[in-house]
Amino acid sequence: MEEKRTVRTVKTDTIHNLIMENRGKLSVSGVEDVESFHEEEIVLHTTMGVLILRGRGMHINKLSVEVGEVIVEGEICAMEYTEARQKGGSFLARMFR
């Protein structure tokens, strides 16, 4: 007698949050990838689209790929959501080539 097995996958929706503290610290959840970063611009792929951060003296203080969380510190001047940008692959993809 052949035994049937049913495999179920549970899709959990990742929550996307932005928490800013005094324009100097930004916690972002729901991050899927870091496309690029430097002191004046950071490009993040999130569950809600591409998020571009602009500012001065910005750096990534914490990056947790497992839980999709990024903490950015520095002077944050602007945050903008855009359509996906194609630009030579993501930061993580370029790191592990």
Side-chain angles (χ1 to χ4, degrees), residues 15-73:
I15 296 175
H16 177 59
N17 283 323
L18 300 172
I19 301 171
M20 186 179 296
E21 299 173 26
N22 299 321
R23 289 184 59 188
K25 182 178 180 181
L26 178 67
S27 300
V28 184
S29 64
V31 176
E32 297 173 336
D33 199 9
V34 177
E35 181 177 309
S36 65
F37 67 92
H38 55 83
E39 289 186 350
E40 295 179 353
E41 182 180 84
I42 298 175
V43 180
L44 305 172
H45 289 259
T46 73
T47 56
M48 299 300 291
V50 176
L51 175 62
I52 300 173
L53 307 174
R54 291 189 179 88
R56 290 183 281 276
M58 294 189 304
H59 62 275
I60 295 176
N61 193 31
K62 177 183 175 185
L63 170 61
S64 178
V65 179
E66 295 83 23
V67 295
E69 183 176 289
V70 171
I71 297 177
V72 175
E73 292 187 357

Side-chain angles (χ1 to χ4, degrees), residues 76-94:
I76 300 164
C77 298
M79 295 183 290
E80 175 185 7
Y81 285 95
T82 66
E83 296 298 320
R85 300 190 327 177
Q86 299 297 324
K87 186 181 170 184
S90 71
F91 165 71
L92 294 176
R94 289 190 311 269

